[in-house]
């Protein structure tokens, strides 16, 4: 009866939790869209040439919001009249919707202050939050079709659900405490892949920043030539900031070796810039290398993937000190593949078309960058893993076990069968006038006397002053391990006891005498 009474209440609580999660997803989508709409409207108000009205500004905001999710846009107002694609995603803009979805999914599994609030399952939380978000996104896609930047339906159907579901899954994973796989190898591979990817992106950002500082004059001239008014310069500056993560990915791809394309038929690698690049005037593009063969400065960017592979291999090697060589090698290869997948995804988002014709290919090629990251991790990370593992398994000289010292009596008996004796008075030990030692192995042994109740096995010879045991497998008490209760001197009247009075214990008081 209790189960029948409480079942509807539990089901109703879970349904309400799923509905709340769906609402959270929709609110997250609205917040992200609202922030971008405010920025676009402010730029439109400050523009000295507001050609389109507020409706056009809202269409632009909707297009930028979709672009932040990886959706390609189509520019219809081109000089040639032909629609041109726009597929390069400003990666800094991706942080806003991803963080909003992440927070919505994380808060969905929050138990609340009282701890009794009903919560959906992890899979239900991901589905509900992503479902509410995608409902708003579908409406935005339909709205953008009537503006100057309509969305490409193919990429909208692929990238939009993938980004939203991945961010919701990351939020649920954070709410559960960021658990890693139970298998140690899988957890170590994920950690190493993450560290390797972060190191690669950090090194790419440093390389790109150094190149941009080297060509600072050209970058400033390009910035001033794009816009003369303060409002236009602010807009260009915001676009530069949004594209800074793309610049880091480009630098990482350049250091990996495949480089990036600058239009069809033009490729920039550390070996040099080949082809005729089609570079539009933009401040960040001023950091591109000059035409011709590369020098040692360009080749030095190979230190970026080298450092990433060393960090990746060191992480796996430290975790694999107690593993077999095969497990350590497989984990290092798995980390290399994980880093390659992450680099391929980032390269795909950081590059793309900027138009039709020669600008249809711009930025790093995703499969080439990912394959290069796997090769660096396998060729450098694997040997580093095995080396760090071997170094961690070594035993320091101070901790190595030392052999126990051999007693003098046992060493003398084993060497010549002679036990050391005191030198007689008046003679030197070992000298020609020394008295002969009567306890030698050549001396005939006394006949063995039968013993009873001594704990020794039949046929064993008790130890005595004139009879040394020469059996290397036994000890001085007889037998391979000795009998602690046997008399070492062969006394038939010996009685073992297990208590020895201490010298400092007081003796009992004497009996009182009258």
């Amino acid at each position: 009866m209790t189960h029948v009474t409480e079942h509807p209440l539990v089901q109703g609580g879970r349904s309400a939790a799923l509905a709340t999660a769906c609402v959270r997803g929709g609110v997250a989508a609205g917040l992200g869209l609202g922030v971008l709409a405010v920025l676009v409207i402010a730029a439109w108000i400050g523009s000295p040439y507001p050609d389109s009205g507020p409706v056009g500004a809202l269409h632009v905001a909707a297009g930028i919001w979709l672009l932040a999710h990886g959706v390609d846009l189509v520019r219809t107002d081109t000089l040639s009249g032909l629609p041109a694609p726009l597929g390069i995603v400003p990666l800094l803009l991706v942080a806003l919707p991803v963080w909003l979805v992440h927070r919505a999914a994380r808060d969905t599994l929050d138990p609340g202050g009282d701890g009794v609030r009903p919560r959906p399952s992890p899979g239900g939380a991901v589905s509900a939050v992503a479902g509410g978000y995608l409902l708003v996104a579908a409406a935005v896609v339909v709205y953008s079709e009537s503006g100057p930047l309509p969305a490409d339906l193919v990429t909208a159907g692929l990238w939009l659900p993938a980004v939203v579901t991945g961010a919701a899954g990351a939020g649920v994973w954070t709410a559960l405490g960021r658990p890693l796989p139970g298998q140690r190898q899988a957890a170590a591979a994920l950690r190493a892949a993450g560290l390797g990817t972060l190191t690669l992106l950090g090194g790419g950002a440093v390389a790109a920043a150094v190149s941009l500082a080297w060509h600072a004059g050209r970058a400033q001239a390009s910035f001033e030539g794009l816009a003369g008014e303060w409002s236009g310069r602010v807009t260009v500056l915001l676009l530069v900031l949004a594209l800074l993560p793309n610049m880091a990915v480009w630098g990482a791809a350049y250091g990996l070796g495949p480089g990036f394309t600058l239009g069809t038929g033009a490729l920039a690698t550390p070996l040099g810039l080949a082809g005729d690049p089609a570079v539009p005037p933009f401040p960040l593009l001023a950091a591109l290398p000059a035409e011709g063969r590369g020098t040692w400065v360009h080749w030095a960017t190979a230190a970026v993937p080298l450092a990433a592979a060393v960090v990746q291999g060191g992480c796996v090697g430290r975790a694999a000190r107690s593993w077999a060589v095969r497990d350590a090698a497989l984990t290092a290869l798995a980390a290399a593949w994980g880093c390659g997948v992450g680099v391929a995804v980032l390269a795909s988002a950081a590059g793309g078309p900027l138009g039709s014709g020669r600008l249809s290919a711009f930025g790093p090629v995703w499969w080439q960058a990912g394959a290069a990251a796997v090769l660096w991790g396998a060729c450098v990370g694997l040997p580093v893993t095995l080396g760090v593992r071997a170094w961690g398994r070594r035993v320091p000289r101070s901790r190595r076990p030392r052999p126990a010292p051999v007693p003098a009596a046992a060493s003398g008996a084993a060497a010549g069968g002679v036990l050391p004796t005191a030198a007689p008075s008046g003679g030197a030990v070992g000298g020609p006038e020394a008295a002969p030692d009567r306890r030698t192995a050549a001396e005939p042994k006394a006949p063995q006397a039968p013993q009873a109740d001594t704990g020794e096995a039949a046929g064993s010879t008790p130890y005595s002053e004139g009879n040394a045991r020469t059996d290397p497998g036994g000890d001085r008490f007889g037998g391979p391990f000795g009998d602690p209760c046997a008399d070492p001197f062969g006394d038939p009247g010996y009685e073992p006891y297990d208590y020895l009075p201490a010298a400092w214990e007081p003796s009992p008081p004497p009996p009182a005498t009258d």
Side-chain angles (χ1 to χ4, degrees):
M1 181 64 67
T2 304
H3 177 72
V4 175
T5 305
E6 293 182 356
H7 183 71
L9 296 177
V10 175
Q11 289 294 107
R14 290 179 179 175
S15 300
L18 290 175
T20 303
C22 186
V23 173
R24 287 179 183 272
V27 171
L31 286 176
L33 182 60
V35 169
L36 290 180
V38 169
L39 292 177
V40 172
I41 291 295
W44 173 76
I45 292 175
S47 176
Y49 309 105
D51 297 334
S52 58
V55 177
L58 291 178
H59 278 95
V60 172
I64 294 176
W65 185 79
L66 293 174
L67 184 64
H69 294 79
V71 180
D72 291 352
L73 304 179
V74 180
R75 294 188 296 112
T76 56
D77 53 347
T78 59
L79 296 178
S80 61
L82 298 176
L86 177 61
I88 293 183
V89 180
L91 293 181
L92 190 61
L93 292 180
V94 180
L96 177 62
V98 166
W99 177 73
L100 290 173
V101 178
H102 178 277
R103 191 187 66 171
R106 183 197 62 192
D107 295 344
T108 299
L109 294 182
D110 186 10
D114 51 3
V116 297
R117 189 179 68 186
R119 296 182 301 169
S121 62
V126 172
S127 302
V129 172
Y133 196 98
L134 291 177
L135 286 177
V136 178
V140 176
V141 169
V142 174
Y143 177 76
S144 68
E145 293 297 322
S146 59
L149 293 174
D152 181 45
L153 299 181
V154 176
T155 56
L158 293 177
W159 282 103
L160 192 56
V163 172
V164 173
T165 305
V172 170
W173 179 61
T174 302
L176 296 178
R178 298 184 180 92
L180 292 174
Q183 191 176 5
R184 295 178 301 172
Q185 288 81 3
L190 287 177
R191 290 195 197 96
L195 287 177
T197 305
L198 289 178
T199 306
L200 194 61
L201 293 178
V206 171
V210 170
S211 180
L212 186 62
W214 186 264
H215 303 90
R218 190 178 4 168
Q220 182 179 2
S222 176
F223 177 78
E224 294 176 353
L226 284 176
E229 300 292 335
W230 67 268
S231 58
R233 292 185 177 182
V234 169
T235 303
V236 173
L237 181 60
L238 291 177
L239 184 57
V240 167
L241 294 177
L243 289 172
L244 285 180
N246 299 61
M247 186 179 178
V249 177
W250 284 38
Y254 186 83
L256 283 170
F260 44 83
T261 59
L262 298 173
T264 57
L267 181 64
T269 64
L271 299 178
L273 180 59
D276 185 16
V279 181
F282 194 73
L284 293 182
L285 296 179
L288 295 176
E291 298 183 10
R293 300 184 60 181
T295 61
W296 65 270
V297 177
H298 305 91
W299 302 337
T301 56
V304 173
L306 180 62
V310 169
V311 170
Q312 183 175 298
C315 179
V316 177
R318 287 190 297 270
R321 291 177 180 176
S322 60
W323 302 349
V325 176
R326 179 176 178 271
D327 295 338
L330 291 178
T331 305
L333 292 178
W337 277 97
C339 181
V341 170
V343 170
V345 173
L346 292 175
S348 177
L354 273 180
S356 57
R358 296 198 57 191
L359 291 178
S360 59
F362 209 79
V365 182
W366 64 272
W367 66 268
Q368 293 180 0
V374 173
L375 288 178
W376 276 97
C379 297
V380 178
L382 180 57
V384 170
T385 296
L386 298 179
V388 172
R389 173 187 173 276
W391 182 262
R393 290 171 65 92
R394 68 180 180 89
V395 179
R397 182 174 298 180
S398 59
R399 297 183 181 179
R400 293 178 183 174
R402 298 179 178 179
V406 180
S411 62
V418 180
L419 294 177
T421 57
S425 60
V429 178
E433 302 297 331
D437 190 1
R438 294 175 297 177
R439 293 175 293 182
T440 60
E443 182 181 350
K445 298 181 180 179
Q448 181 178 352
Q451 297 182 10
D453 299 330
T454 60
E456 296 183 18
S460 62
T461 302
Y463 180 84
S464 63
E465 279 190 5
N467 184 20
R469 182 177 182 88
T470 60
D471 182 12
D475 57 3
R476 62 180 300 181
F477 299 123
F481 301 99
D483 186 1
C485 297
D487 177 25
F489 303 101
D491 186 5
Y494 172 75
E495 294 183 359
Y497 55 90
D498 58 353
Y499 175 76
L500 291 176
W504 58 82
E505 293 183 359
S507 60
T513 59
D514 296 336

